[in-house]
Amino acid sequence: MIRASRFVPTLVGAASLAMMVGLWEYVGTRDGSALATVLPPPSRFIAAVASSGFRIGLGSQAVPLSQSIVSTLLRVFAGMSIAFIAAVLTGALLSLSRVATWCLSPILYVLAPIAPIAWIPTAIVIFGISNVTAVFIVFMGVYFILTIATLAEIKRIPTEFLTIADNLGASPFSRWLRVVLPAVLPGVFTLLRTNFIAAWMAVLVAEMVGLRDGLGAIIMMGRNLFNNDLIMFGMAIIGVSGFVVDRLLSVISGRLLWWRI
């Protein structure tokens, strides 16, 4: 009975989503519905994209839908992974050096509020319109927040843990590797998952500035062609892909980072 109850939230969520899609389909397929012009029903925009073999673009420039999805996922995961590693290393440096904290903390708190989208013109000038630009935008969107979170998690570590490590003869590096790092990883990863939506939106906007593939490029293609079917299809794929990635991050957090103080 208890095991069955675990699936109740999933079933209720799936039912509510199905009801929303069904209502959308019903309203959109009614004759004379003005809403269908702006928000075409799922059966219409899926059929429109399926007629082209799920290839997005014109002529020889068309790319498979799978390529667009994979490209976006690789860009966002690359940016988030680099930001995660850099944030943890920066937090380690600041926690080990008081002078480094005095010098770098003001910079972190000044740059953290800047929206990642604001970095796009600078990124284009430096890297051009390329995959590196998209990865850079994702990195800038989460690095500063994760670094600040790492410092906050380090301050949360009970002093008893560090005292015991010192009493056992641990070196500063060994203490950081065996005590501090395991203590901060769960909290920082949780914040990484929370900021995934910001990173996801950042990479989509970066893809709209001229990249040939990616989910953001699908939206831009639909806009340029005044094709609402393509726009709605792109939005649907973005929503589903983002949901799947969020669930994947949740599983990773639960399986690999099961400890927490």
Side-chain angles (χ1 to χ4, degrees):
M1 183 65 180
I2 297 178
R3 181 174 297 181
S5 64
R6 294 171 53 190
F7 297 97
V8 172
T10 301
L11 294 175
V12 173
S16 63
L17 183 61
M19 290 178 60
M20 184 195 74
V21 174
L23 179 61
W24 181 8
E25 181 71 25
Y26 170 75
V27 174
T29 53
R30 293 183 60 188
D31 293 336
S33 174
L35 183 63
T37 303
V38 181
L39 299 174
S43 61
R44 174 175 151 184
F45 64 71
I46 292 176
V49 178
S51 65
S52 63
F54 290 100
R55 296 180 64 86
I56 311 300
L58 300 174
S60 60
Q61 298 298 316
V63 297
L65 174 63
S66 58
Q67 178 179 330
S68 293
I69 296 175
V70 171
S71 296
T72 295
L73 292 178
L74 289 178
R75 289 163 187 153
V76 74
F77 278 130
M80 292 175 64
S81 299
I82 296 172
F84 182 79
I85 295 173
V88 173
L89 293 178
T90 304
L93 172 64
L94 297 184
S95 66
L96 295 174
S97 172
R98 184 175 300 179
V99 176
T101 302
W102 294 342
C103 295
L104 298 181
S105 290
I107 299 176
L108 291 173
Y109 284 96
V110 167
L111 296 180
I114 300 177
I117 297 175
W119 291 98
I120 290 180
T122 302
I124 293 177
V125 171
I126 297 175
F127 304 112
I129 299 176
S130 64
N131 289 327
V132 178
T133 299
V135 173
F136 174 79
I137 296 303
V138 174
F139 172 85
M140 297 302 287
V142 298
Y143 165 72
F144 298 106
I145 300 298
L146 292 182
T147 301
I148 294 173
T150 301
L151 295 175
E153 288 292 323
I154 291 175
K155 292 180 180 179
R156 288 183 60 251
I157 299 176
T159 56
E160 294 84 358
F161 286 17
L162 303 179
T163 301
I164 293 174
D166 290 336
N167 292 339
L168 293 176
S171 64
F173 176 77
S174 179
R175 182 180 65 177
W176 191 90
L177 182 64
R178 297 178 180 275
V179 178
V180 177
L181 183 61
V184 303
L185 277 182
V188 176
F189 191 87
T190 298
L191 188 63
L192 176 69
R193 179 191 167 195
T194 303
N195 280 270
F196 161 71
I197 300 300
W200 189 245
M201 290 188 293
V203 74
L204 294 175
V205 174
E207 290 174 344
M208 293 181 183
V209 299
L211 291 178
R212 178 170 170 266
D213 57 7
L215 299 180
I218 294 178
I219 301 296
M220 186 55 62
M221 177 69 68
R223 170 186 174 274
N224 293 337
L225 297 177
F226 300 98
N227 188 335
N228 284 338
D229 290 334
L230 188 57
I231 292 175
M232 292 308 304
F233 179 79
M235 292 175 63
I237 295 297
I238 288 171
V240 172
S241 300
F243 175 80
V244 171
V245 173
D246 179 72
R247 293 295 92 194
L248 177 61
L249 292 176
S250 177
V251 171
I252 293 175
S253 178
R255 297 293 178 85
L256 299 183
L257 302 172
W258 46 265
W259 70 93
R260 189 176 182 91
I261 60 174

